């Protein structure tokens, strides 16, 4: 298998403890061997990990790597977003993943932003072309969308508001990705749409994540994983084969790169990248 040396990137979440920070530093160093285009760091619902995201991003920068903080706008004001983003600019960050974000439990009022396209427009108005703005894409549609058409319209709106590229939610059906890209192109939108890849290591965890984000686990895949029961080694071995083959098919079909959801662990992701030729 060969990657054709197309860009890859890796996503982390902000560690909450010193032990977690040390583990993340080790993970980052292990993944650096693949020359990623950038490392991204997530941002909790309602900005609950704001300081942790900034610390993680600055740590990545200090280690000499490109970093892209996530920024969710739901529940935020324009002033609060402006302050956060100005901090990133002051530290020389030039890449942001702009998201609506999930609505935190118990939140009263959605803040001054309702949709990600409003955040993208705000960032462009306030900071011009300083930032490369990445947005989310949903090949299997956002779980809260009214319809497939509404979801596609929302994506197009984000791009027209000023997004430079997109990263997808993870998926296990390559055809869903290719169909999504074709539909976007048919609407006159042509930006890089990078597939988000989720390693398979723990079925119950994967099922929980998928239920929350709306990612479909195809019936045959679900039954195959269920048949392995608690045989962790078999699940991991199968998962490595499957995700590697999926990644290779996506790259062979023209995907502009790959973005890996690492869950702050390097093992499975490293194996997949090595198999792909990175």
């Amino acid at each position: 298998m060969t990657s054709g040396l197309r860009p890859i990137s890796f996503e982390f979440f902000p560690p909450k403890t010193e032990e977690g920070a040390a583990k993340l530093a080790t993970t980052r160093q292990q993944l650096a061997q693949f020359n990623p285009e950038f490392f991204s760091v997530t941002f909790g619902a309602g900005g609950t990990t704001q300081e942790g995201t900034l610390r993680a991003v600055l740590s990545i920068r200090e280690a000499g790597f490109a970093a892209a903080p996530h920024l969710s706008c739901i529940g935020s004001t324009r002033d609060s977003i402006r302050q956060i983003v100005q901090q990133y600019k002051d530290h020389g960050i030039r890449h942001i993943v702009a998201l609506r974000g999930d609505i935190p439990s118990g939140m009263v009022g959605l803040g001054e932003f309702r949709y990600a396209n409003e955040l993208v427009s705000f960032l462009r108005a306030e900071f011009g072309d300083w930032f490369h703005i990445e947005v989310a894409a949903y090949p299997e549609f956002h779980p809260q969308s009214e319809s497939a058409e509404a979801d596609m319209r929302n994506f197009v709106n984000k791009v027209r508001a000023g997004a430079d590229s997109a990263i997808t939610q993870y998926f296990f059906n390559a055809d869903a990705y290719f169909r999504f890209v074709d539909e976007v192109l048919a609407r006159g939108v042509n930006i890089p749409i990078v597939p988000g890849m989720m390693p398979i290591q723990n079925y119950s965890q994967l099922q929980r994540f998928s239920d929350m984000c709306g990612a479909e686990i195809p019936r045959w895949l679900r039954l195959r994983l269920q048949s392995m029961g608690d045989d962790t080694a078999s699940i991991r071995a199968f998962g490595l084969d499957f995700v590697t083959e999926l990644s290779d098919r996506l790259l062979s079909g023209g995907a502009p790169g790959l973005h890996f959801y690492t869950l702050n662990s390097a093992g499975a992701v490293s194996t997949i990248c090595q198999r792909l030729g990175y």
Side-chain angles (χ1 to χ4, degrees), residues 20-42:
K23 177 188 175 185
L24 181 56
T26 300
T27 297
R28 183 188 65 215
Q29 198 59 43
Q30 291 172 330
L31 294 176
Q33 66 179 303
F34 302 110
N35 299 313
E37 187 174 39
F38 62 90
F39 294 108
S40 72
V41 183
T42 62

Side-chain angles (χ1 to χ4, degrees), residues 7-214:
I8 55 173
S9 53
F10 303 112
E11 182 172 305
F12 302 138
F13 59 82
K16 295 181 180 179
T17 64
E18 291 185 9
E19 180 181 9
K23 177 188 175 185
L24 181 56
T26 300
T27 297
R28 183 188 65 215
Q29 198 59 43
Q30 291 172 330
L31 294 176
Q33 66 179 303
F34 302 110
N35 299 313
E37 187 174 39
F38 62 90
F39 294 108
S40 72
V41 183
T42 62
F43 188 80
T48 52
T49 64
Q50 176 182 331
E51 292 302 321
T53 300
L54 178 61
R55 282 195 302 271
V57 164
L58 295 183
S59 176
I60 291 168
R61 288 269 297 162
E62 289 166 5
F65 305 110
H70 289 213
L71 181 68
S72 61
C73 62
I74 202 75
S76 300
T77 65
R78 284 171 171 75
D79 283 344
S80 66
I81 292 294
R82 185 183 296 109
Q83 290 172 11
I84 293 169
V85 177
Q86 186 63 52
Q87 280 186 295
Y88 292 139
K89 183 178 179 181
D90 290 345
H91 285 98
I93 303 297
R94 304 205 63 154
H95 193 162
I96 281 181
V97 182
L99 310 165
R100 188 201 71 164
D102 297 324
I103 301 175
S105 177
M107 174 177 281
V108 179
L110 300 180
E112 295 182 26
F113 299 91
R114 293 181 60 85
Y115 303 105
N117 69 287
E118 296 173 356
L119 174 60
V120 174
S121 294
F122 177 78
L123 293 175
R124 285 291 178 231
E126 292 286 322
F127 299 96
D129 292 330
W130 177 267
F131 293 102
H132 178 103
I133 300 179
E134 200 105 41
V135 293
Y138 297 86
E140 296 172 326
F141 308 115
H142 193 285
Q144 296 176 356
S145 286
E146 298 175 0
S147 65
E149 172 60 28
D151 194 67
M152 183 61 63
R153 189 165 56 245
N154 289 338
F155 179 76
V156 170
N157 287 342
K158 289 189 287 189
V159 176
R160 290 178 176 163
D164 296 296
S165 57
I167 298 171
T168 77
Q169 179 58 271
Y170 72 85
F171 56 89
F172 299 115
N173 182 349
D175 290 336
Y177 169 80
F178 292 126
R179 175 204 50 76
F180 181 84
V181 171
D182 286 345
E183 288 194 22
V184 167
L185 286 171
R187 292 169 186 250
V189 172
N190 187 13
I191 64 168
I193 300 175
V194 178
M197 310 305 297
M198 175 67 81
I200 299 173
Q201 299 187 80
N202 180 304
Y203 176 60
S204 60
Q205 180 188 60
L206 180 67
Q207 189 175 35
R208 186 171 67 254
F209 287 168
S210 299
D211 287 344
M212 288 190 297
C213 72

